[in-house]
């Protein structure tokens, strides 16, 4: 690696700071440029995500289509993690082998894992990190706690996709989001019916006024509102922001 | 040219280039693996693609035409449920099932009214109502047979809305008297997800999975086929069964994504088109 990589900016003095504090992008590349074993240092320096970031900062999804896809990836990660916990919890393991609810949760868990893996694969190097959930508010041994949490996640997911579609610029990404949101809506419907029969499109998900901008449609939510809820289920250091999606 | 050099040069003209490419933290985490570093190395190519996307415009169509297409389908559904609720077979259904159909019927009628308002509000003329073919309805001699058609209508409706989303992309918000300012794409998406909830409910009433996994008793119908059939397991070039690191079954891969139908496919006699009539 040649000396031409060495930036000439005043950032140079930051090169003296130790690696365990958050470092600016540019100075990160100062390290890279100034060191013969740059690759080794990069890998060593980045081995542990958390050593490089302030635990109080958020994971921002970024801007543009990548931002929307990362936003979706964040929500799918959260859902996938939730259902993975459901499958390990006492409520699910206590269900009879042939119980309909067992099959429903087993199926949904796989759908959400596929969604999360799909976004991770599609985003490749542009993907946000793997998020650490915090489900301490959920009792996975209790049917009501699991079902109401599942309902909250699914309704939130549908509202999130519906509210984020307008931020997508590439038509093919919009179609992908459309393909997923209707499956989330199917999940939401069956979960709601498990809680209360015929609540699959109750008035708390469809605005039945005739005089509002969302009249007679499913309610949707913008990223900031969605993430306020989602972040209550994410650990410190894994909380997500979408500063460019407004 | 070295990849770091490229980034450096880009950052001279655009200090936030890495912010555009990715978030700072995920740049760091990306560097954990060789394959991800390779992906990041291709970032300038990605940036070029991003700009070309940003300036390429959209495939926006005429929202009046898109909403009239939706209105036609909603008319068909609304009339079907009206006929269903008025039929002798309906009275044989359980109270819960009757309540489900009434709730869905209420929405379809509401969608008709909403779409008419929106079409008029953006300067269009709502299409004339269509009805569900009476002769076909007469062949649905049991509640169960009526539900079969309801399932086909709802799953087709979901696919139809999904197929037009791209035509509403980038269309400016419209202000409609008495309703407020709406984003045409968002409104269509918000009806689309309600249709999906309807489809899920009808499917479970029939003892089917709420999602389309290939095991359904109607999955061989044309409504689930088309140029991009519901059995599709590849999304954006990624094979979901083998390309995600974890192996998934084709059943779960197809169930996790719904698919579109084109206008021509929806209006074909083998699908919704064949159900329209006097």
């Amino acid at each position: 690696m040649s000396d031409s990589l060495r930036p000439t900016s005043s950032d140079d003095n930051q090169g003296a700071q130790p690696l365990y504090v958050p470092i600016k992008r540019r100075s990160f590349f100062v390290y890279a440029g100034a060191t013969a074993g740059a690759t080794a240092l990069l890998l060593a320096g980045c081995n542990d995500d958390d050593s490089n970031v302030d635990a109080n900062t958020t994971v921002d999804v970024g801007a543009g289509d990548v931002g929307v896809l990362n936003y979706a990836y964040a929500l799918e990660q959260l859902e996938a993690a939730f259902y993975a916990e459901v499958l390990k919890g006492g409520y699910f393991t206590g269900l009879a082998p042939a119980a309909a609810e067992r099959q429903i949760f087993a199926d949904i868990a796989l759908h959400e894992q596929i969604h999360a893996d799909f976004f991770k694969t599609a985003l490749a190097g542009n993907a946000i990190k793997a998020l650490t959930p915090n489900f301490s508010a959920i009792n996975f041994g209790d049917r009501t706690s699991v079902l109401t949490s599942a309902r909250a996640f699914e309704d939130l997911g549908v509202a999130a996709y519906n509210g984020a579609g307008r931020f997508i610029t590439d038509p093919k990404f919009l179609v992908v989001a459309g393909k997923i949101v209707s499956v989330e809506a199917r999940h939401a419907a069956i979960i709601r019916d498990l809680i209360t029969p015929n609540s699959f499109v109750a008035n708390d998900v469809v605005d039945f006024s005739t005089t509002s901008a969302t009249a007679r449609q499913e309610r949707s939510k913008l990223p900031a509102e969605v993430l306020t809820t989602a972040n209550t289920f994410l650990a410190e250091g894994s909380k997500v922001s979408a500063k460019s999606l407004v | 040219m070295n990849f770091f050099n490229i980034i450096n040069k880009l950052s001279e003209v655009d200090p936030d280039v890495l912010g555009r490419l990715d978030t700072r933290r995920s740049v760091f985490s990306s560097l954990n693996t060789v394959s991800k570093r390779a992906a990041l190395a291709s970032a300038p190519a990605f940036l070029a693609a991003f700009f070309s996307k940003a300036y390429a415009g959209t495939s926006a169509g005429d929202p009046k035409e898109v909403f009239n297409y939706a209105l036609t389908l909603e008319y068909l559904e609304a009339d079907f449920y009206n006929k269903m609720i008025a039929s002798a077979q309906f009275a044989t259904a359980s109270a819960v099932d009757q309540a489900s159909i009434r709730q869905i019927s209420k929405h379809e009628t509401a969608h008709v009214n909403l779409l008419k308002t929106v079409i008029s509000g953006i300067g269009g003329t709502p299409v004339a109502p269509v009805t569900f073919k009476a002769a076909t309805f007469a062949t649905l001699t049991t509640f169960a047979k009526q539900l079969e058609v309801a399932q086909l209508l709802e799953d087709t409706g979901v696919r139809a809305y999904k197929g037009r989303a791209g035509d509403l992309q980038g269309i400016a918000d419209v202000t409609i008297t008495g309703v407020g300012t709406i984003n045409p794409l968002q409104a269509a998406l918000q009806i689309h997800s309600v249709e999906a909830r309807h489809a899920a409910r009808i499917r479970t009433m029939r003892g089917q999975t709420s999602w389309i996994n290939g095991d359904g008793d109607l999955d061989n119908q044309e409504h689930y086929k088309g140029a991009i059939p519901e059995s599709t397991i590849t999304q954006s070039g990624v094979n979901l069964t083998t390309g995600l690191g974890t192996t998934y079954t084709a059943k779960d891969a197809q169930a996790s994504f719904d698919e579109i139908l084109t206008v021509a496919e929806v209006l074909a006699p083998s699908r919704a088109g064949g159900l329209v009539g006097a």
Side-chain angles (χ1 to χ4, degrees), chain A residues 1 4-5 7 23 25-26 28-29 32 39 42-43 46-49 52-54 57-66 104 107-108 110-111 113-115 117-118 120-121 124-129 155 158 161-163 165-166 168-171 173-176 178-183 185-190 192-193 197-198 200-203 205-206 208 210-220 237, chain B residues 2 4-5 7-8 11-12 15-16 18-19 21-26 28-32 36-37 39-40 46 50 53 57-59 95-97 99-100 103-104 106-107 110-111 113-114 117 155 158 162 165-166 169 173 178-183 185-187 189-194 196-201 203-204 209-213 228 235-236 238 240 243-244 246 248 252-253 255-260:
Chain A
M1 210 171 276
S4 70
L5 292 175
I23 54 176
R25 282 197 293 280
R26 287 179 64 92
F28 187 89
F29 287 99
T39 303
L42 276 170
L43 292 175
C46 294
N47 225 8
D48 178 359
D49 281 349
N52 285 312
V53 294
D54 184 336
T57 61
T58 59
V59 181
D60 196 83
V61 297
D65 284 354
V66 166
I104 288 166
D107 278 7
I108 296 177
L110 284 163
H111 301 166
Q113 192 59 55
I114 290 173
H115 291 165
D117 286 352
F118 168 76
K120 184 181 181 186
T121 303
N126 299 299
I128 57 167
K129 70 172 188 175
D155 283 344
V158 180
Y161 277 102
N162 281 348
R166 60 196 298 179
I168 300 174
T169 58
D170 188 324
F173 293 149
L174 179 62
V175 172
V176 167
K179 289 173 176 214
I180 293 176
V181 66
S182 55
V183 174
R186 292 172 188 272
H187 294 167
I190 186 70
R192 294 182 73 93
D193 277 345
N198 276 335
F200 59 107
V201 280
N203 289 358
V205 288
V206 177
F208 247 85
T210 56
T211 56
S212 78
T214 55
R216 310 181 185 98
Q217 305 154 39
E218 179 144 1
R219 298 169 198 277
S220 61
Chain B
N2 186 293
F4 291 109
N5 208 0
I7 299 285
N8 235 341
S11 67
E12 283 168 17
D16 199 35
L18 277 172
L21 295 173
D22 205 334
T23 65
R24 193 180 318 166
R25 308 174 88 207
S26 58
F28 287 175
S29 64
S30 294
L31 296 169
N32 271 332
K36 285 186 174 175
R37 289 175 67 233
L40 185 64
F46 166 76
F50 177 77
K53 263 184 299 195
T58 69
S59 61
V96 168
D97 284 359
S100 296
Q103 175 81 338
I104 293 171
K106 185 174 99 169
H107 291 151
H111 290 162
N113 292 331
L114 169 69
T117 305
D155 277 334
V158 175
K162 205 187 313 294
Q169 210 170 8
D173 293 0
V179 172
T181 301
I182 68 162
N183 178 273
L185 171 63
Q186 190 166 320
L189 288 174
Q190 289 170 175
I191 300 175
H192 168 246
S193 59
V194 175
R197 287 172 186 262
H198 292 173
R201 176 62 190 146
R203 294 178 66 93
T204 50
T209 56
S210 301
W211 29 88
I212 306 164
N213 64 10
I228 307 176
Q235 301 295 342
S236 301
V238 179
L240 303 181
L244 295 179
T246 303
Y248 296 100
D252 293 316
S256 56
F257 285 72
D258 284 341
E259 303 299 335
I260 67 159

Side-chain angles (χ1 to χ4, degrees), chain A residues 135-156:
Chain A
F135 295 132
S136 56
I138 300 167
N139 178 354
F140 289 96
D142 178 63
R143 179 176 187 267
T144 301
S145 180
V146 170
L147 286 179
T148 54
S149 301
R151 176 180 64 189
F153 282 122
E154 296 294 349
D155 283 344
L156 186 71

